[in-house]
Amino acid sequence: MINTTWLTTFCTLVDVGHFTRTAERLHMTQSGVSQHVRKLEEQLGVELLIREGKKFSLSQAGERLYIEAQNILQALSSLEQAVQEDSPYEGVVRVMSPGSVGLKLYPRLLALQSKYPKLIIDYRFAPNSDVETAIAESSVDLGFMTSKSTLAEVSCTPIAEESLLLVTPETIEEPSWETLMALGFIDHPDGSHHANLLLSKNYPELQHSHQFLRKGYSNQIGLILEPVSIGLGFTALPAHAVEAFHKPEQIKAHRLPNPVSETLYLCIRRHRGYQKRIETVIAEARCWL
């Protein structure tokens, strides 16, 4: 391997054209400059300088080395700068979360990107299990989950509480047990989980959400409330998803006597440091969640 310090000395000597001034620029002695050039010549087995008293010119080998060395030193300088630079507002940040969180957070992160166009938001909507796997495999930078990870590779920190709401058609004023049984349940990927959490605290008759007639299913977070809005059934959803529904006048969100919330966790790959741009996104998420 060629010593890059020797290359730097050689290129500076060619640029300056004088041993003494090269030594001054590099804070070396003149003999040190000469020694670096000799070491290069010995390692490469060629003469790099044609010496003419106190003056010199480049040999053909010296000219080739000068051209190649400049490219190498420039590449090394760019590499060092790229490694050292860590802008809080530049680069890609890969985020993954369940849909209800995404409905709340994604528009805020897009607003952040509009403010800092070099900050690129790559946002994926997925259930907890997929978020957990993606973090463990380092295919995303950070994730949000509504349950703590069971994987040793994933570190989870509580970041917010998200209320669960019972949602019925707009015409339902008092969601009695009989009313819910008559309506039937609109299911979704976390439907049974949310219904069991919320309803078990408020309806002693509940043993399991399977008691309700299943009247529909959607895995698209923005569409789960569509069948509810036209009277086809009820469901249980996090507040963020309810707030984002585009026809709020056609549904009714009920805050039951015994409120139930899910803890929202910020999740990252354990023992992995993250760049300032990821810290920027985390700070924005904390602000809005």
Side-chain angles (χ1 to χ4, degrees):
M1 294 290 291
I2 295 178
N3 190 310
T4 55
T5 303
W6 302 346
L7 282 180
T8 300
T9 301
F10 174 73
C11 288
T12 304
L13 176 62
V14 175
D15 292 337
V16 173
H18 195 280
F19 277 88
T20 301
R21 289 198 292 273
T22 298
E24 292 172 351
R25 177 174 294 188
L26 297 177
H27 306 289
M28 299 171 60
T29 63
Q30 183 174 331
S31 62
V33 174
S34 298
Q35 187 181 42
H36 284 185
V37 175
R38 282 198 304 272
K39 286 182 176 179
L40 274 176
E41 290 179 323
E42 290 170 2
Q43 182 172 3
L44 296 171
V46 296
E47 185 180 53
L48 299 174
L49 302 180
I50 301 172
R51 295 165 176 83
E52 303 163 352
K54 292 185 178 182
K55 297 181 179 181
F56 68 86
S57 60
L58 291 176
S59 67
Q60 288 186 354
E63 289 178 353
R64 290 194 295 271
L65 178 63
Y66 176 69
I67 293 171
E68 294 298 329
Q70 282 186 309
N71 293 333
I72 291 169
L73 293 174
Q74 180 59 48
L76 288 173
S77 176
S78 298
L79 175 61
E80 182 178 359
Q81 183 178 7
V83 170
Q84 291 175 345
E85 286 181 351
D86 186 13
S87 170
Y89 306 115
E90 293 185 23
V92 177
V93 179
R94 302 166 301 167
V95 186
M96 186 178 282
S97 79
S100 63
V101 181
L103 288 173
K104 177 76 171 181
L105 186 55
Y106 185 45
R108 304 301 182 180
L109 296 185
L110 291 183
L112 184 67
Q113 182 174 343
S114 296
K115 186 176 180 181
Y116 303 106
K118 292 184 178 181
L119 181 67
I120 310 302
I121 301 299
D122 180 336
Y123 205 110
R124 312 294 172 91
F125 291 62
N128 285 329
S129 58
D130 289 356
V131 176
E132 181 181 52
T133 300
I135 294 169
E137 295 176 351
S138 296
S139 57
V140 297
D141 299 306
L142 63 116
F144 298 91
M145 295 171 56
T146 55
S147 61
K148 290 190 71 172
S149 172
T150 59
L151 300 181
E153 304 94 325
V154 180
S155 173
C156 296
T157 304
I159 189 174
E161 293 288 325
E162 187 175 21
S163 298
L164 294 179
L165 300 177
L166 172 65
V167 189
T168 67
E170 189 273 335
T171 54
I172 304 298
E173 292 294 335
E174 295 294 333
S176 66
W177 176 255
E178 292 73 20
T179 299
L180 298 184
M181 290 294 288
L183 276 172
F185 188 60
I186 303 299
D187 203 359
H188 55 86
D190 290 320
S192 292
H193 173 63
H194 288 158
N196 289 329
L197 279 178
L198 179 61
L199 302 184
S200 64
K201 298 291 186 181
N202 290 277
Y203 295 92
E205 300 92 338
L206 180 72
Q207 296 176 350
H208 195 279
S209 63
H210 293 161
Q211 290 173 254
F212 302 113
L213 179 63
R214 194 170 186 261
K215 296 289 290 291
Y217 179 94
S218 176
N219 66 349
Q220 295 295 319
I221 189 68
L223 299 178
I224 293 170
L225 291 176
E226 286 289 346
V228 176
S229 72
I230 58 175
L232 296 181
F234 77 93
T235 195
L237 275 177
H240 295 331
V242 179
E243 292 166 3
F245 187 56
H246 66 289
K247 293 185 285 188
E249 72 283 354
Q250 295 183 20
I251 60 171
K252 194 171 188 67
H254 303 271
R255 294 187 179 273
L256 300 179
N258 298 309
V260 174
S261 295
E262 280 189 311
T263 300
L264 182 62
Y265 296 92
L266 167 66
C267 304
I268 60 171
R269 185 72 157 78
R270 196 180 299 277
H271 306 310
R272 177 186 175 185
Y274 44 81
Q275 299 90 345
K276 289 182 180 177
R277 63 181 181 272
I278 298 177
E279 294 178 359
T280 297
V281 169
I282 291 174
E284 192 73 5
R286 288 186 183 278
C287 176
W288 292 107
L289 296 177

